[in-house]
Amino acid sequence: MFNNIVRAYIRMIRCSLTFQEQFVASQLITNRIITIKRVFNSKRIAVFFSFDGEISTTFLIRTLLSMRKKIYLPVLSTNLKSKCLLFAQYTLSTSLIFNRFNIYEPQYSMDAVIPIEDLDVVFVPLVAFDSRGYRLGMGGGFYDSTLKHWKKNQDHYIPIGIGYDFQKVPHELLSVKKWDIFLPEIITPSNHFVFR
Ligand SMILES: Nc1nc2c(c(=O)[nH]1)N(C=O)[C@@H](CNc1ccc(C(=O)N[C@@H](CCC(=O)O)C(=O)O)cc1)CN2
Ligand SMILES: Nc1ncnc2c1ncn2[C@@H]1O[C@H](COP(=O)(O)OP(=O)(O)OP(=O)(O)O)[C@@H](O)[C@H]1O
């Protein structure tokens, strides 16, 4: 019921952060992420390029690359009806282009695309989340569709939400839809929430 209000409110707040606030948060979240054993032991990690005031992932991506991790970024399907994201490899020499939402994505060839099951960690953008691990996104349903086959207790990739601390909202404010994915873990500059 309040999803659209929460989405608009949090998008407004995150777009009003100063450069300094964004910078400090991106360093803190990167330092927290790289000390997580699951991440440290991963080889193939999906991140995303931030837009719309999302917590900046530039430092995270650079740090993970320097740790010799293979990094993949989401690309929208050319089929406008498909909401499933593809993940294409990103290196420092990959050309980037804007997609239809003005988000950078790799200019990829099919051999750079990895099946989602072959990823170890998928970092997931979010607008808001609650104390149960439910996530409110931008409203396109892309991550919900892409991650819909993910199941707890299965030994494949793990989706991990990342965002600012203020994006956590009381659960009464988020109405969960039947297709909404649950995030087993969410990382912010000050916290590592585990919801399993
Ligand atoms: N950094 C990042 N990449 C991402 C996502 C994300 O949330 N963050 N996505 C997560 O799914 C996908 C893109 N989803 C999006 C869904 C809606 C809008 C959006 O701006 N909607 C506008 C109206 C856009 C229009 O139709 O022109 C709006 O709501 O104001 C943007 C991205 C894939 N890549
Ligand atoms: N697994 C699914 N099955 C059917 N419809 C879905 C599924 N996932 C998403 N959708 C559709 O996507 C639309 C947007 O969903 P929702 O508002 O939950 O997106 P969101 O999680 O905020 O966005 P995103 O995942 O792109 O960040 C819904 O109206 C729904 O029709």
Side-chain angles (χ1 to χ4, degrees):
M1 183 167 59
F2 301 113
N3 284 8
N4 288 338
I5 299 170
V6 172
R7 187 181 281 122
Y9 180 68
I10 296 212
R11 286 180 66 182
M12 186 185 71
I13 297 182
R14 72 182 186 184
C15 281
S16 66
L17 298 184
T18 64
F19 176 77
Q20 170 123 8
E21 286 166 330
Q22 294 174 34
F23 179 82
V24 170
S26 72
Q27 308 280 311
L28 287 174
I29 202 163
T30 299
N31 292 341
R32 190 173 288 283
I33 287 170
I34 60 173
T35 56
I36 294 170
K37 213 166 146 196
R38 177 85 192 229
V39 175
F40 190 81
N41 292 333
S42 294
K43 293 194 175 70
R44 292 170 291 263
I45 302 178
V47 197
F48 56 87
F49 260 117
S50 311
F51 89 122
D52 190 58
E54 287 169 339
I55 194 159
S56 172
T57 52
T58 314
F59 185 59
L60 174 64
I61 292 170
R62 293 217 162 223
T63 306
L64 292 172
L65 283 172
S66 74
M67 293 165 71
R68 306 203 157 271
K69 308 296 181 195
K70 285 192 174 176
I71 297 301
Y72 297 82
L73 297 173
V75 289
L76 301 177
S77 169
T78 45
N79 172 359
L80 289 182
K81 284 193 189 139
S82 166
K83 288 187 179 246
C84 281
L85 298 165
L86 300 176
F87 291 94
Q89 194 180 357
Y90 171 76
T91 67
L92 291 178
S93 54
T94 306
S95 306
L96 295 168
I97 47 170
F98 278 126
N99 66 22
R100 62 176 184 275
F101 297 117
N102 279 334
I103 309 174
Y104 272 132
E105 57 180 43
Q107 197 167 27
Y108 68 102
S109 58
M110 272 326 272
D111 59 331
V113 172
I114 187 172
I116 194 163
E117 307 78 41
D118 292 350
L119 289 163
D120 300 312
V121 174
V122 177
F123 285 111
V124 179
L126 47 84
V127 175
F129 65 98
D130 68 16
S131 53
R132 302 166 297 183
Y134 282 104
R135 148 186 191 277
L136 180 69
M138 286 294 289
F142 292 98
Y143 275 91
D144 288 328
S145 301
T146 308
L147 302 177
K148 73 177 171 207
H149 297 300
W150 184 81
K151 294 242 163 38
K152 302 197 250 197
N153 307 325
Q154 262 185 19
D155 189 24
H156 59 180
Y157 70 89
I158 178 170
I160 303 182
I162 55 179
Y164 289 105
D165 289 279
F166 66 77
Q167 291 177 268
K168 182 161 185 270
V169 300
H171 72 84
E172 293 84 357
L173 289 184
L174 295 189
S175 51
V176 176
K177 309 276 165 36
K178 68 175 190 305
W179 56 78
D180 278 335
I181 52 146
F182 152 86
L183 293 170
E185 299 191 22
I186 294 179
I187 300 170
T188 65
S190 311
N191 277 294
H192 179 182
F193 299 96
V194 179
F195 300 107
R196 279 179 270 247

